[in-house]
Amino acid sequence: MSIYKDLNDMNIDLEQYEAQNLTNFEKKKWEKRILKKLSKEKPSHVKKYLGVTAAVAIIFSLIIVTGLISPTMAATMKEVPLLSSVFKFTRDLGLHAADEKGLSTKLNTSVTHEGFTLNVTEVVYDGTRVAIGIERHHKEGENTKESLSDQISNIEFLLNGEPLNHTNFSGVFGQPSKDNNSAIFEFADLKNQGGNPFPKEFNLTLSITINGVSEPFKMDIQVSDIGNYVKLQPNISRKYKNNQLTIEQITLTPITTSITTRIALLDKSTSVDFREGISIEVYDEQGRELKLIHGNGRRETNKGTSDFIMDLRVHPFKTLPKAITIKPYIHLYDNEGSYQLDENGDPKIQYIPELEITIPINSKE
C-alpha cells in the first residue's frame, strides 16, 4: 500500500497533536535530496516528488499518539528513513521486539553545539533495564570514520534530578546499532542487590560529552515502565563444594529475561572462593539458549565472605516457556591465569551439573 494513499485516507484531528519542527540539518538534508532528484527527472514527474515533499512534511510536523493509527500505517511510516528505529537494527532481539510491537517511546529530542547535533531517538523501560537510542548529525561537509560511541568521552544521567552513580545503578552498557552514527546505551537499577528500584515513571536527564566539543549535550526525556511482565521467586538452591547457588528471582518481559542469582559460601572460614567466576546459561524446555545481553553483580557487604548477588539479562522468550533451565559453568584457565582456548579460539568452559536448576513456569501467573 502506498504511503500517499494512506496519508490521503487518514482522518486526523490536528488539534490532538503538537507541532514539531525539523532541525535545520534535517531540512537541508531533505531539500537537497528532493531537489537533486527533481533535477534528474522529466517535468511529468514533478508532481510525484512534490507529493513526496508533502508526505514528508505531514509526517514530521506531527507527533502521532500511540494507538491512534493503524498497524499498517505505523509500519508504512517506518519506511521513511528519518523515522527508522535505532532499536530495529540491533542484534538485541528484545529491543527489536520493542520497536516492532510499538513498546518503545519515539522521541526527537536534539541539541546542537558547534555544528554537531545529538538526537535521542527513542527510549524503552521494562522494569529491568532502560535502553536509549542516540544518533549524531555531523557538521556540514564533515565525514569521520570514528563511531559515535568512540566520540563520546563521558555520559552521565540524572533521575528526577538526582545523579545516578555506582551506589544506585548498574553503570552504563553500550550496544552496537545500525551504523557508526548511532548508539544504544542501557542501564538498570540495583533493587535486587540492596538498592532502590527506579520509579514507574521518571524524568531522565542525559549529559553527554563529545570529543572536540567544549559544551556537554544535555537533554531531558520522560521514561515510563511498559509493564506486562511475569515475576517469579523460585528461591531454589543447589550446592557444589563450598558454594550454594540460589535462583532468587526471574522476571520475564517482552524485551528482557532477567535472572537474579545468589552465591553463598557454605564455610565462611575458608579462603577458597571462585563464586565470582561462576556464570550461567539460560535455556527453554526445547533446549534453546537465550543470548546474553549484559549483567552486573556485587557482594552483599564489603566483607570478602559475603554473598555474591548478580542480575543477568538475556534475550526474551518469544512465548512463555513451560520451563527454564539454568546451567552454571566456570571458565578454564592455564597456569598463567589466561583463558584456555578451544580449536575455534573461544574460551573453554566447564559446566557444573550439580548446580543445574530447572524451574517450571505456571502459565497462569
Side-chain angles (χ1 to χ4, degrees):
M1 183 177 290
S2 168
I3 188 172
Y4 313 109
K5 185 178 187 306
D6 279 337
L7 287 169
N8 290 333
D9 291 343
M10 288 177 68
N11 183 16
I12 300 176
D13 179 5
L14 297 181
E15 292 184 357
Q16 298 182 47
Y17 305 95
E18 285 183 36
Q20 179 156 333
N21 296 324
L22 292 171
T23 65
N24 290 332
F25 175 88
E26 292 165 338
K27 288 178 181 177
K28 290 179 180 179
K29 180 178 178 180
W30 279 99
E31 286 173 2
K32 288 181 180 179
R33 182 177 296 180
I34 294 170
L35 290 174
K36 182 178 180 180
K37 193 71 177 177
L38 281 172
S39 65
K40 294 180 180 180
E41 296 293 332
K42 297 178 181 179
S44 60
H45 293 93
V46 170
K47 287 185 178 180
K48 175 181 177 181
Y49 288 103
L50 288 177
V52 173
T53 308
V56 171
I58 291 172
I59 293 171
F60 287 99
S61 65
L62 299 176
I63 296 177
I64 304 299
V65 178
T66 303
L68 295 182
I69 59 175
S70 68
T72 301
M73 185 59 197
T76 305
M77 291 176 69
K78 285 182 183 178
E79 295 176 4
V80 180
L82 288 180
L83 283 181
S84 65
S85 168
V86 171
F87 291 168
K88 183 176 182 178
F89 298 95
T90 180
R91 294 181 181 180
D92 186 324
L93 298 183
L95 297 185
H96 192 273
D99 171 64
E100 291 297 313
K101 297 177 181 179
L103 299 175
S104 61
T105 300
K106 299 298 186 288
L107 305 167
N108 189 25
T109 304
S110 62
V111 173
T112 300
H113 293 316
E114 301 175 27
F116 189 104
T117 299
L118 274 187
N119 182 31
V120 179
T121 63
E122 58 206 308
V123 63
V124 67
Y125 171 47
D126 67 344
T128 68
R129 58 170 168 154
V130 178
I132 304 163
I134 299 175
E135 288 184 329
R136 72 178 173 192
H137 301 302
H138 292 292
K139 301 175 184 178
E140 183 129 11
E142 182 184 42
N143 187 18
T144 178
K145 294 183 179 180
E146 188 178 23
S147 69
L148 172 57
S149 296
D150 290 337
Q151 281 191 301
I152 295 176
S153 60
N154 188 46
I155 182 167
E156 297 177 351
F157 299 101
L158 298 177
L159 192 154
N160 290 336
E162 296 296 324
L164 294 178
N165 54 49
H166 70 280
T167 66
N168 55 17
F169 92 132
S170 64
V172 180
F173 303 96
Q175 286 210 48
S177 186
K178 59 181 180 179
D179 54 34
N180 280 346
N181 292 318
S182 60
I184 296 171
F185 294 102
E186 302 185 3
F187 58 87
D189 61 26
L190 299 177
K191 62 177 176 290
N192 299 322
Q193 300 170 36
N196 294 322
F198 291 158
K200 292 291 186 181
E201 297 183 0
F202 55 89
N203 176 267
L204 185 67
T205 302
L206 293 78
S207 179
I208 302 174
T209 303
I210 297 291
N211 291 327
V213 180
S214 58
E215 187 176 355
F217 293 76
K218 294 185 178 181
M219 292 166 278
D220 289 307
I221 62 174
Q222 291 296 317
V223 180
S224 298
D225 188 347
I226 63 172
N228 188 27
Y229 44 78
V230 175
K231 185 171 289 187
L232 309 170
Q233 294 179 315
N235 282 315
I236 299 175
S237 299
R238 296 287 185 271
K239 298 176 182 179
Y240 175 70
K241 294 185 176 179
N242 193 36
N243 294 271
Q244 176 174 282
L245 170 69
T246 302
I247 307 299
E248 290 198 325
Q249 183 169 277
I250 298 175
T251 304
L252 309 176
T253 86
I255 71 171
T256 317
T257 300
S258 178
I259 314 287
T260 302
T261 64
R262 176 187 292 267
I263 303 177
L265 282 177
L266 298 176
D267 179 4
K268 297 186 184 297
S269 65
T270 178
S271 60
V272 178
D273 180 13
F274 66 94
R275 294 173 298 160
E276 293 180 29
I278 296 180
S279 302
I280 65 171
E281 293 175 347
V282 183
Y283 295 83
D284 67 8
E285 74 277 8
Q286 301 296 324
R288 292 172 293 212
E289 182 183 0
L290 301 186
K291 185 178 177 182
L292 174 68
I293 302 172
H294 47 65
N296 56 282
R298 60 175 57 191
R299 295 182 185 274
E300 192 168 32
T301 70
N302 292 329
K303 293 183 178 180
T305 57
S306 67
D307 294 356
F308 187 78
I309 305 171
M310 185 166 190
D311 283 326
L312 191 75
R313 289 169 283 275
V314 298
H315 282 179
F317 291 99
K318 291 183 179 179
T319 58
L320 191 66
K322 296 179 181 179
I324 297 175
T325 296
I326 309 297
K327 291 187 175 183
Y329 66 89
I330 56 173
H331 285 98
L332 299 179
Y333 299 88
D334 58 25
N335 293 332
E336 297 179 354
S338 300
Y339 285 131
Q340 294 183 26
L341 303 179
D342 61 20
E343 60 276 8
N344 298 319
D346 297 322
K348 289 183 178 181
I349 64 173
Q350 177 180 306
Y351 290 102
I352 310 173
E354 293 88 347
L355 294 180
E356 184 172 313
I357 300 174
T358 297
I359 302 163
I361 304 298
N362 185 350
S363 60
K364 294 181 181 180
E365 292 197 51

